[in-house]
Amino acid sequence: MPQDLEAERAVLGAMLQEKEAIGEVVRVLRDAGAAAFQVERHQQLYDVLVKLYVDDQPMDGVVIKDELVRR
């Protein structure tokens, strides 16, 4: 499967910057989810961002880092 690491980074960057972008990305990737990302760390970050979004948790760097470390 072809990889576009810049596209993956751009999507994740948008999700980090705008909480509303997370819902849009989830809708677009609804069937694939994290599997749409080729890089494992991108999959993990996607999963964390979606979990925080669904749980209506803060999206700051500390919370994200703590959740990534916890996993």
Side-chain angles (χ1 to χ4, degrees):
M1 182 176 252
Q3 289 185 348
D4 189 343
L5 299 180
E6 289 304 314
E8 290 187 17
R9 289 182 189 124
V11 169
L12 292 169
M15 292 172 75
L16 286 165
Q17 289 181 349
E18 296 291 332
K19 192 172 185 177
E20 296 79 28
I22 297 171
E24 187 64 29
V25 171
V26 167
R27 281 188 286 284
V28 170
L29 300 180
R30 72 175 169 258
D31 294 331
F37 296 91
Q38 299 300 307
V39 178
E40 184 178 348
R41 68 180 176 268
H42 292 174
Q43 293 171 354
Q44 293 169 354
L45 179 55
Y46 174 85
D47 283 339
V48 165
L49 293 175
V50 171
K51 179 190 181 309
L52 294 174
Y53 176 78
V54 168
D55 293 346
D56 199 28
Q57 296 295 311
M59 302 296 284
D60 64 59
V62 173
V63 173
I64 294 167
K65 178 188 163 280
D66 287 348
E67 184 64 24
L68 285 167
V69 168
R70 186 188 68 74
R71 290 175 176 223

